[in-house]
Amino acid sequence: MKFNTKTIHGGQKHEEATGAVMPPIFQTSTYAQSSPGVHKGYAYSRGANPTRTALEDSFAALENGTHGFAFSSGLAAIDCILRTLSPGDEVIAGDDLYGGTYRMFTRLFMKYGIEFCYVDMNVAANVGAVITEKTKLVWIETPTNPLMKIADIAAISSVVKGTNSDILIAVDNTFATPYLQRPLDLGADIVMHSATKYLGGHSDLVMGALIVKDAKLAEDIHFIQFAAGAIAGPMDSFLALRGIKTLHIRMQRHCENGKVVANFLKNHPEVGMVYYPGFENHPNHLVAKKQMKDFGGMVSFKLKDDSKEAAFKFLESTKIFTLAESLGGVESLVSHPTTMTHGSIPEPERLKIGITDSLIRLSVGIEDEEDLLADLEYALNQ
């Protein structure tokens, strides 16, 4: 199947008992057994639930994987990956990460003896330069949150696997979605999504996803998911599966509007800098053009007035762009990374990579572009 067809039919089958086109919501915790240990594939919903299975099969199809897993949140999915490690193991990660990921790395897993090394992944060689015998995982986020850096997944995979083929490569594909890039095809071992965002697409659920190809890795992930219990429930699984069916048409509009908004901001006299991989002067524009179908609906920018007061005035003035956490829904959102999504990162670390008080992040929705531009124009002139 082509991708647009996969969003609707990938990994899916009609429900056997009734022929229902959409998988029913199996709102049950347990299942009848004809004899101890003899059942129809389901024993207890922490281990598996038919609605969740349908969603996980869809995840796998979209990313060209063989096994998908639905978690209670994106951070629960990341937690599962880190639980495959042991004290003394090292993780190499990008220097621009979602604040919740950084918080989990530094405040949870460092105290269990996991070590973390942060590098600028704009250059693949930077990753190879810090690999040691302790390195067990490379964590890639691309495009990054919130500075829209682009990592060359294929190049990094080549460097890492050329050094040690046992090192796992995981990619947070939340900003791009499988509509724009598929990391497993580029050499990664694990794809992670905050399915709360574009996969769900309607700001009505919280969920995480992992997708892999390797059967042994899938077995390990399923065991951790079952043992730790951070599963997605059947109602959220149903909502996510419904959202996925329109992923391709939503992403097309997100990309179209994102491009218009980025160009508007680039030419506005009140704006100092725009972070958008679709611009030819973006440091890794050619990489983005090579590995992504389009450039997405996420845009970050700084005001010429590089102060928190100017940023707050803008943030308090938008009407269509809603000031809120999260991203990837049909509605446009605006956020302030230093006080919201990246508030858990110490200020010196934020400033080191360019996350200043005037940095503003937009999740450009699928509204009419003229209304979005009018809203931005109004807020910028307050």
Side-chain angles (χ1 to χ4, degrees):
M1 295 180 188
K2 300 297 183 183
F3 184 83
N4 292 356
T5 307
K6 278 186 180 181
T7 62
I8 298 168
H9 300 288
Q12 301 305 295
K13 58 184 179 181
H14 300 151
E15 195 269 326
E16 293 180 1
T18 65
V21 173
M22 277 297 289
I25 303 168
F26 286 88
Q27 198 70 49
T28 184
S29 61
T30 192
Y31 307 82
Q33 302 185 22
S34 58
S35 182
V38 180
H39 49 74
K40 298 179 180 180
Y42 296 92
Y44 186 61
S45 279
R46 176 160 39 82
N49 173 282
T51 315
R52 192 168 88 237
T53 297
L55 173 63
E56 291 173 335
D57 289 345
S58 177
F59 285 158
L62 293 179
E63 288 284 5
N64 293 335
T66 55
H67 300 78
F69 302 89
F71 291 81
S72 54
S73 70
L75 286 172
I78 299 171
D79 175 78
C80 179
I81 297 173
L82 295 178
R83 286 173 187 262
T84 66
L85 305 177
S86 300
D89 289 347
E90 181 184 67
V91 178
I92 299 172
D95 61 357
D96 180 29
L97 292 174
Y98 165 56
T101 304
Y102 180 88
R103 179 177 59 234
M104 178 178 286
F105 287 0
T106 57
R107 298 185 62 181
L108 289 183
F109 280 88
M110 280 182 64
K111 69 181 181 182
Y112 299 129
I114 307 297
E115 300 175 20
F116 296 88
C117 174
Y118 301 95
V119 299
D120 181 357
M121 289 192 176
N122 273 343
V123 180
N126 291 346
V127 178
V130 295
I131 292 175
T132 71
E133 61 182 16
K134 297 190 297 182
T135 305
K136 296 296 187 294
L137 174 69
V138 173
W139 183 265
I140 302 171
E141 192 178 293
T142 183
T144 63
N145 181 2
L147 295 176
M148 305 304 293
K149 290 184 176 182
I150 301 294
D152 189 329
I153 299 170
I156 292 174
S157 298
S158 178
V159 168
V160 172
K161 296 299 185 179
T163 304
N164 183 345
S165 61
D166 291 331
I167 298 173
L168 293 176
I169 299 169
V171 177
D172 182 338
N173 203 28
T174 299
F175 271 26
T177 82
Y179 176 81
L180 298 180
Q181 71 185 12
R182 288 177 282 281
L184 296 180
D185 294 346
L186 299 172
D189 300 292
I190 306 170
V191 178
M192 174 268 166
H193 287 274
S194 173
T196 309
K197 314 306 195 290
Y198 286 109
L199 295 186
H202 294 79
S203 302
D204 56 6
L205 61 90
V206 176
M207 183 181 292
L210 295 179
I211 303 96
V212 301
K213 281 185 175 180
D214 181 78
K216 176 60 169 64
L217 182 57
E219 184 180 334
D220 293 342
I221 289 172
H222 181 262
F223 171 77
I224 294 168
Q225 183 188 46
F226 173 73
I231 56 161
M235 176 59 78
D236 282 352
S237 295
F238 176 86
L239 290 173
L241 193 56
R242 183 180 66 170
I244 285 171
K245 290 183 182 297
T246 59
L247 175 65
H248 56 300
I249 54 176
R250 287 187 287 106
M251 285 306 299
Q252 182 179 344
R253 186 59 176 267
H254 283 300
C255 292
E256 292 169 354
N257 282 355
K259 191 172 301 181
V260 170
V261 165
N263 280 295
F264 167 82
L265 293 171
K266 183 180 181 181
N267 296 308
H268 199 282
E270 298 298 326
V271 175
M273 181 177 293
V274 181
Y275 300 86
Y276 175 67
F279 290 153
E280 291 186 0
N281 64 350
H282 184 284
N284 267 10
H285 169 71
L286 293 179
V287 175
K289 191 174 181 180
K290 176 186 69 173
Q291 77 181 17
M292 297 172 68
K293 180 178 181 179
D294 207 328
F295 303 108
M298 298 300 299
V299 181
S300 295
F301 68 100
K302 290 182 179 178
L303 299 170
K304 281 188 177 176
D305 182 347
D306 194 24
S307 68
K308 183 179 288 189
E309 291 74 22
F312 274 35
K313 182 178 287 188
F314 172 87
L315 293 162
E316 293 167 356
S317 299
T318 58
K319 305 299 181 184
I320 294 177
F321 280 87
T322 300
L323 177 61
E325 300 269 3
S326 200
L327 59 104
V330 292
E331 64 289 308
S332 292
L333 300 178
V334 59
S335 69
H336 188 239
T338 63
T339 57
M340 296 169 76
T341 56
H342 290 67
S344 59
I345 299 178
E347 184 178 18
E349 297 301 316
R350 292 199 306 263
L351 293 176
K352 189 186 301 181
I353 61 172
I355 302 178
T356 63
D357 283 342
S358 79
L359 182 69
I360 294 166
R361 192 193 73 185
L362 301 178
S363 172
V364 183
I366 65 173
E367 302 95 338
D368 191 287
E369 65 181 52
E370 292 184 10
D371 292 327
L372 296 177
L373 298 186
D375 193 39
L376 294 172
E377 181 68 47
Y378 174 80
L380 286 166
N381 287 325
Q382 296 309 299

